[in-house]
């Protein structure tokens, strides 16, 4: 099976502009394609995961990826999927986030001469003269058509700023610039980016003629990928300092039964033949599929050694006993103790298992907190320094485990 058909079989492709031409480009390794990443944080999260896996698949098939870091567009903020305007970031914060992105992407994509490239649209967008830009580029966009775009329509009721209204022409200009300077002939993006991507393709054809070979393809990056990137606690990050390998493993181990095979198909590099056989798995075999998903994705992001540690720690927790050394751990200092102990509410907050004492109290009262497998029924329960010296296991609900120790 060639790469385009594989992408279809994995459920990745949602919409294309010219399927036969795109199939030819991808299958024959002739695509130089870009995917954009706005550096709104100092780490990628699992909402970006599908795009990174796609870039890796296409590079393995001989195509050339361009990872476009939106250092310039991040200064405006993408209105897609938003009900309010994004917070404005300083140039220093954006530059720091860009550097963090590159380090993480290098685990997925091979950069270098003739291989993948990483570019930052700040290098060209920040040097634009605004009058020249709106005369040369702005004249190619119909305001009526822009207002019909889904990314703008959903913002009109609450108010769309003129700042954000510039995002579509600027993202479109990215494709135009990459086409001219890097031979980029294909762009990928989430289903929320379709209008912006079409704008880029049409800009190239309008400026350079209809013979210009610029195409577009969109994936289920928004409806599926962004949903994957969020939990009740917030984002699941690729940075191990934000989301430990164990927590990352547990996130995937605990996906909904209905989603596990979809995630395996879209995100892992297991052969489709093996995945098709797994489609018939039911009941207890679904848990085995979840373990395979969690292990494969943790290995991809954090390496096989960390994946094995996370797998071992998870199994030890669920079968009882075992070494919990790889469980996420918080050190409690002497300063946090009062009369040689710490209250369960303060402990939950210190371990980031609750955002506040009030939230921790509700968890206890609802019967969702356990210390060393014993339910904590009293919000005034305390954990002594001696217990912390030995190390205690905290469980929140059925699936969240944490270890607390006395810091040295």
């Amino acid at each position: 099976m060639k790469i385009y058909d594989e992408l279809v079989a994995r459920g990745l492709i949602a919409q294309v502009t010219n399927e036969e031409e795109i199939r030819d480009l991808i299958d024959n390794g002739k695509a130089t394609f870009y995917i954009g990443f706005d550096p709104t944080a100092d780490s990628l999260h699992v909402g970006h995961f599908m795009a990174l896996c796609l870039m890796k698949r296409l590079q393995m098939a001989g195509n050339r990826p361009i990872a476009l870091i939106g250092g310039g567009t991040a200064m405006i903020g993408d209105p897609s999927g938003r009900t309010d305007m994004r917070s404005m970031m300083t140039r220093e914060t954006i530059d720091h986030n860009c550097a963090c992105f590159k380090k993480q992407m290098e685990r997925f994509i091979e950069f270098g001469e003739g291989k993948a490239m990483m570019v930052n649209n700040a290098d060209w967008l920040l040097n634009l003269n605004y009058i020249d830009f709106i005369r040369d580029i702005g004249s190619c966009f119909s305001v009526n058509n822009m207002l019909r775009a889904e990314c703008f329509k959903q913002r009109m009721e609450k108010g769309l700023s003129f700042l954000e209204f510039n995002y579509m022409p600027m993202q479109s200009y990215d494709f135009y610039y990459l086409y001219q300077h890097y031979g980029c002939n294909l762009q990928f993006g989430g289903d929320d980016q379709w209008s912006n991507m079409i704008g880029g393709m049409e800009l190239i054809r309008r400026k350079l003629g209809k013979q210009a070979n610029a195409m577009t393809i969109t994936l289920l990056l928004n409806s599926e990928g962004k949903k994957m990137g969020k939990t009740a606690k917030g984002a699941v990050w690729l940075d191990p300092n934000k989301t430990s390998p164990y927590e990352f493993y547990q996130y995937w181990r605990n996906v909904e039964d209905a989603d596990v095979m979809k995630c395996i198909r879209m995100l892992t590099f297991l052969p489709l033949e093996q995945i098709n056989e797994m489609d018939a798995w039911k009941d207890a075999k679904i848990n085995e599929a979840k373990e395979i998903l969690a292990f494969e994705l943790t290995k991809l992001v954090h390496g096989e050694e960390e994946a094995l540690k996370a797998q071992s720690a998870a199994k030890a927790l669920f079968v009882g006993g075992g070494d919990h050394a790889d469980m996420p751990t918080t050190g409690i200092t002497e300063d946090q103790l009062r009369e040689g102990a710490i209250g369960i509410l303060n402990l939950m907050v210190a371990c980031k298992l609750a955002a506040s004492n009030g939230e921790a109290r509700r968890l206890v009262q609802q019967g969702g907190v356990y210390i060393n497998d014993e339910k904590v029924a009293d919000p005034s329960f305390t954990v002594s320094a001696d217990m912390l010296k030995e190390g205690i296991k905290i469980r929140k609900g059925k699936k969240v485990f944490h270890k607390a120790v006395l810091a040295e």
Side-chain angles (χ1 to χ4, degrees), residues 232-249:
K233 290 168 40 178
V236 178
W237 305 100
L238 305 193
D239 182 345
N241 295 314
K242 288 177 170 289
T243 300
S244 72
Y246 172 81
E247 291 171 313
F248 188 85
Y249 179 97

Side-chain angles (χ1 to χ4, degrees), residues 44 64 78 93 99 120 131 182 191 228 248 275 281 325 389:
L44 297 164
R64 190 180 193 191
D78 184 0
T93 298
N120 187 334
I131 297 298
Y182 298 102
D191 57 358
M228 290 175 186
F248 188 85
I275 296 172
W281 289 8
K389 286 178 183 177

Side-chain angles (χ1 to χ4, degrees), residues 127-382:
N127 294 325
L128 290 173
N129 177 287
Y130 187 67
I131 297 298
D132 290 341
F133 179 79
I134 58 175
R135 281 176 60 88
D136 187 35
I137 304 301
S139 60
C140 297
F141 288 83
S142 162
V143 171
N144 290 343
N145 288 341
M146 291 174 69
L147 291 176
R148 284 194 289 268
E150 196 61 37
C151 61
F152 290 142
K153 278 171 33 178
Q154 58 189 336
R155 286 294 310 281
M156 292 299 290
E157 291 183 7
K158 289 198 172 183
L160 176 71
S161 72
F162 180 71
L163 176 71
E164 295 169 291
F165 199 60
N166 283 266
Y167 192 90
M168 182 184 289
M170 285 198 164
Q171 181 173 324
S172 299
Y173 184 81
D174 283 342
F175 194 20
Y176 175 58
Y177 185 94
L178 293 173
Y179 180 89
Q180 288 187 295
H181 292 83
Y182 298 102
C184 182
N185 53 15
L186 188 59
Q187 58 179 333
F188 288 76
D191 57 358
D192 62 334
Q193 296 296 315
W194 184 249
S195 297
N196 294 336
M197 291 161 54
I198 291 293
M201 185 182 70
E202 292 180 346
L203 175 62
I204 291 173
R205 291 178 176 174
R206 188 160 180 178
K207 296 294 293 180
L208 303 177
K210 291 184 178 181
Q211 73 281 2
N213 183 27
M215 291 170 287
T216 185
I217 189 168
T218 182
L219 312 182
L220 293 175
L221 291 176
N222 181 49
S223 58
E224 300 297 339
K226 289 187 179 179
K227 181 179 72 175
M228 290 175 186
K230 300 292 182 180
T231 68
K233 290 168 40 178
V236 178
W237 305 100
L238 305 193
D239 182 345
N241 295 314
K242 288 177 170 289
T243 300
S244 72
Y246 172 81
E247 291 171 313
F248 188 85
Y249 179 97
Q250 285 295 94
Y251 171 76
W252 296 108
R253 174 62 181 79
N254 294 324
V255 297
E256 297 293 333
D257 290 0
D259 292 335
V260 60
M261 290 311 303
K262 179 166 57 180
C263 291
I264 287 176
R265 194 175 296 277
M266 287 181 167
L267 301 177
T268 76
F269 285 78
L270 296 175
L272 281 170
E273 294 79 7
Q274 179 181 348
I275 296 172
N276 291 337
E277 291 176 2
M278 294 168 64
D279 276 334
W281 289 8
K282 296 180 180 179
D283 302 325
K285 294 286 282 184
I286 291 294
N287 286 329
E288 184 179 339
K290 291 181 181 182
E291 290 172 359
I292 291 171
L293 172 68
F295 180 80
E296 290 295 324
L297 298 191
T298 306
K299 180 174 71 173
L300 189 60
V301 174
H302 299 295
E304 186 167 9
E305 182 179 353
E306 291 296 335
L308 288 169
K309 286 181 182 179
Q311 183 184 63
S312 175
K315 287 183 176 179
L317 287 170
F318 286 102
V319 302
D323 182 10
H324 302 152
D326 296 313
M327 192 187 306
T329 301
T330 297
I332 302 301
T333 66
E334 295 282 356
D335 291 343
Q336 292 173 284
L337 303 179
R338 295 294 180 270
E339 298 181 358
I342 183 171
I344 185 63
L345 307 185
N346 290 331
L347 180 62
M348 293 284 288
V349 173
C351 293
K352 297 182 180 178
L353 295 173
S356 65
N357 280 14
E359 181 184 335
R361 182 182 297 277
R362 287 191 295 275
L363 288 168
V364 171
Q365 291 172 338
Q366 293 166 2
V369 178
Y370 294 76
I371 297 292
N372 293 336
D373 298 320
E374 295 288 334
K375 183 183 290 186
V376 177
D378 185 356
S380 64
F381 177 85
T382 61

